[in-house]
Amino acid sequence: MEKATTPSGRSPWFWAGNYLASSAIIVVLKLTDAIPAPVAMILFLGAMGLLIPLVRAGERRNCANPVIIRYNRRFLIASFGYVLGLGIAIAVWNSYKLTSTMVFVIALLPTLPTFAMIWAMGRYLVEETDEYLRYRMVRAAIMSLGMVLAIGIFWGFLEMFELVPHIWAWWVLPVWAGGLGLAQLWMKVRGE
Amino acid sequence: MNNRLKVLRAERSWSQQDLADRLGVSRQSVNAIETGRYDPSLPLAFTIADLFGLPIEAIFLRDGDSE
């Protein structure tokens, strides 16, 4: 079996570990107020640069088919757009007194890239020609959707009775994406 | 659903990857079908039957039928 490496000899796990470690350090620095929000955002954009060699290293693996490669690239571009859009939106929000129309516009900056992420996931299902891989992804997506609905409803009532703090609705996407990973892990553990 | 895919593949000395390449699917798909974890669609079942030159019912068996 061909070894999964980049020209520099690094595996995808190396880049994934570096990305996660960098992100964790930035989050800790921000939470401890060691760096201001704009600096954290710039550093996070830099850390996201590690996703490029991660995706390339993944593409060299035997299991990477052209559909997955396209999906990874689309998702990566959307992720960059999301971080950039969010950074600009927060900076503008903090610096200017905005009209409702302008608030609507800056809310679109991080929103549109997330629409692109959802589109990329949809395109993967349309373009995937392997029916078993498509079946697994659809199954994982439905399992994750069930998880999001269950957590959302439970949290909503806990929030209504003032037991937990309010959380923003955009959390549905990261929670769903996390659930997608958990569902795939669950199927792998069960040997499905 | 039971199937004779593993036997038919072994008779031809094909690996799972060889069969996957001939069918235009992933090796995971072949493995899932062979082990009965996934029942293929009718179009894929016909493709498998065509590849081995056998009718579908000679490859895929009803639950309870022996190989």
Side-chain angles (χ1 to χ4, degrees):
Chain A
M1 191 176 161
E2 189 184 334
K3 198 178 172 188
T5 56
T6 63
S8 58
R10 304 297 188 186
S11 76
W13 295 108
F14 172 82
W15 297 110
N18 268 295
Y19 169 70
L20 291 175
S22 307
S23 301
I25 291 168
I26 295 164
V27 167
V28 169
L29 289 173
K30 175 68 187 74
L31 289 178
T32 55
D33 288 330
I35 53 172
V39 174
M41 199 60 72
I42 292 166
L43 288 176
F44 195 66
L45 264 176
M48 285 189 72
L50 293 167
L51 293 177
I52 295 171
L54 168 63
V55 168
R56 285 189 175 160
E59 287 173 1
R60 289 172 204 283
R61 292 173 71 98
N62 289 335
C63 60
N65 70 36
V67 182
I68 290 176
I69 289 172
R70 275 200 297 277
Y71 166 76
N72 284 339
R73 289 183 176 179
R74 286 166 179 164
F75 206 91
L76 186 63
I77 292 168
S79 299
F80 273 109
Y82 171 75
V83 173
L84 199 61
L86 185 62
I88 293 170
I90 291 173
V92 172
W93 169 259
N94 287 334
S95 306
Y96 302 98
K97 186 155 180 64
L98 302 171
T99 63
S100 299
T101 309
M102 277 308 293
V103 171
F104 183 85
V105 170
I106 65 163
L108 283 176
L109 292 177
T111 302
L112 291 177
T114 61
F115 287 175
M117 292 177 194
I118 296 167
W119 172 81
M121 293 178 207
R123 286 307 304 170
Y124 169 77
L125 290 177
V126 170
E127 293 173 7
E128 181 56 82
T129 55
D130 188 306
E131 62 179 54
Y132 173 66
L133 297 182
R134 193 170 55 233
Y135 156 79
R136 281 177 60 91
M137 182 60 87
V138 168
R139 189 149 182 260
I142 292 172
M143 286 165 76
S144 182
L145 177 62
M147 196 186 84
V148 169
L149 292 175
I151 292 173
I153 289 166
F154 190 36
W155 190 278
F157 280 114
L158 291 175
E159 190 180 318
M160 193 173 91
F161 296 122
E162 299 177 351
L163 192 63
V164 295
H166 175 71
I167 56 168
W168 289 314
W170 52 257
W171 271 103
V172 290
L173 185 62
V175 171
W176 182 81
L180 197 65
L182 282 177
Q184 285 169 329
L185 187 65
W186 170 254
M187 287 191 286
K188 198 177 179 71
V189 169
R190 284 171 55 93
E192 291 181 22
Chain B
M1 189 164 57
N2 297 324
N3 66 75
R4 299 179 57 234
L5 213 53
K6 190 173 182 178
V7 175
L8 294 168
R9 180 170 62 76
E11 285 172 359
R12 288 156 182 79
S13 301
W14 291 346
S15 67
Q16 286 187 341
Q17 188 62 58
D18 292 334
L19 178 56
D21 291 342
R22 285 173 163 84
L23 293 171
V25 300
S26 64
R27 191 197 57 77
Q28 296 101 302
S29 298
V30 170
N31 184 262
I33 295 168
E34 268 190 15
T35 53
R37 288 182 285 115
Y38 177 72
D39 293 332
S41 66
L42 264 181
L44 181 54
F46 273 115
T47 305
I48 293 169
D50 289 344
L51 181 66
F52 288 110
L54 294 167
I56 287 179
E57 61 269 28
I59 301 172
F60 295 97
L61 315 167
R62 290 184 185 85
D63 285 335
D65 288 358
S66 58
E67 290 184 18

